[in-house]
């Protein structure tokens, strides 16, 4: 069974540009979550999607957005990139969303490394 | 706001040593506690999901306990091996329908 797949793995963008990251969840998983990891910080929650609907949103500015498609694949977009957006962006999938049972294990991809110059 | 703290921040042990880390979280409205192992250049790997006070879980040489009343969980590694070197993350969820909140992790380095 294939794991969570994220593309691209590495990318470099210039300030002011926008970027789209893609995540393919494990087959059969309908929940996709996104996290940001920056040096010195823990994983910061961005948003969670389930059945094409955003179920949860973290404390990030509106420049960060996402969506989920009918096949459960998800994309996140960051517009008007800032230097501080340089980070590892992790996607995670699970069969259920966080509101459906407490024993819900989530499975992470390897992440997309974004560098903003 | 849910605040999850992990200690120590980093730890260096010799092969064969046993070690443990702490994860503390607000005990009010507790829902679940997750532990992950994150090796360099790999994706975080789920170790345990714990929900009940007094819960103990074990996976090989790694085990974890949970105290929801006082808001802490311990992760134990018995007889550490170099392959145990990784960052260990805990994350808590305080009620159904909210997102996991992660601690900053404990980085373990095991020397042979």
């Amino acid at each position: 069974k294939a794991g969570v797949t994220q593309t691209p793995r590495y990318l470099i963008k210039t300030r002011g540009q926008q970027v789209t990251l893609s995540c393919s969840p494990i087959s059969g998983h309908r929940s996709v979550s996104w996290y940001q990891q920056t040096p010195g910080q823990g994983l910061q929650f961005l948003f969670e999607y389930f059945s094409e609907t955003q179920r949860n949103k973290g404390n990030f500015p509106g420049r960060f957005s996402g969506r989920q498609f009918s096949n459960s694949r998800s994309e996140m977009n960051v517009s008007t990139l800032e230097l501080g957006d340089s980070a590892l962006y992790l996607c995670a999938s699970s069969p259920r969303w966080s509101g459906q049972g407490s024993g819900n294990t989530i499975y992470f991809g390897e992440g997309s490394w974004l560098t903003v110059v | 706001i849910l605040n999850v703290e992990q200690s120590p921040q980093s730890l260096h042990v010799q092969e064969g040593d046993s070690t443990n880390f702490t994860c503390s979280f607000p005990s009010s409205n507790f829902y679940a506690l997750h532990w992950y192992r994150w090796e360099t250049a790999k994706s975080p790997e789920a170790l345990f999901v714990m929900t009940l006070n007094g819960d103990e879980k074990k996976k090989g040489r790694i085990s974890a306990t949970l105290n929801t009343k006082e808001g802490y969980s311990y992760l134990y590694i018995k007889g550490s091996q170099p392959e145990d070197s990784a960052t260990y993350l805990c994350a808590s969820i305080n009620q159904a329908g909210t997102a996991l909140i992660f601690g900053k992790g404990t980085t373990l380095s095991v020397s042979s």
Side-chain angles (χ1 to χ4, degrees), chain B residues 3-4 23-27 30 33 66-68 70-73 92:
Chain B
N3 205 28
V4 178
C23 172
S24 62
F25 52 88
S27 55
F30 172 82
L33 191 285
L66 179 68
N67 183 323
T68 62
E70 296 183 39
Y72 64 83
S73 175
S92 182

Side-chain angles (χ1 to χ4, degrees), chain A:
Chain A
K1 199 173 189 181
V4 178
T5 305
Q6 292 187 244
T7 57
R9 291 294 316 282
Y10 305 92
L11 67 166
I12 300 174
K13 290 286 188 177
T14 305
R15 271 183 303 176
Q17 287 186 314
Q18 66 93 27
V19 66
T20 299
L21 307 178
S22 180
C23 174
S24 294
I26 292 172
S27 178
H29 285 192
R30 294 166 62 194
S31 172
V32 174
S33 305
W34 289 89
Y35 294 83
Q36 181 197 65
Q37 168 92 1
T38 52
Q41 297 295 319
L43 288 172
Q44 303 289 312
F45 171 74
L46 282 156
F47 23 68
E48 177 182 17
Y49 286 88
F50 180 83
S51 294
E52 302 178 65
T53 301
Q54 187 179 89
R55 300 288 177 153
N56 281 305
K57 189 177 191 304
N59 190 26
F60 278 81
R63 300 185 297 107
F64 290 81
S65 63
R67 59 178 176 169
Q68 187 180 33
F69 302 96
S70 58
N71 62 358
S72 295
R73 191 176 70 84
S74 177
E75 289 181 345
M76 68 161 282
N77 185 78
V78 188
S79 62
T80 320
L81 283 165
E82 300 177 0
L83 295 179
D85 297 332
S86 296
L88 173 66
Y89 291 88
L90 284 169
C91 167
S93 77
S94 60
R96 305 182 301 272
W97 73 287
S98 57
Q100 292 177 306
S102 54
N104 195 30
T105 299
I106 66 171
Y107 300 86
F108 284 92
E110 292 184 327
S112 293
W113 284 98
L114 170 65
T115 300
V116 182
V117 298

Side-chain angles (χ1 to χ4, degrees), chain B residues 5-6 8 30 40 46 51 53 56 59 90:
Chain B
E5 303 286 345
Q6 292 188 247
F30 172 82
T40 303
T51 57
N53 185 46
E56 289 189 35
K59 185 176 182 179
C90 72

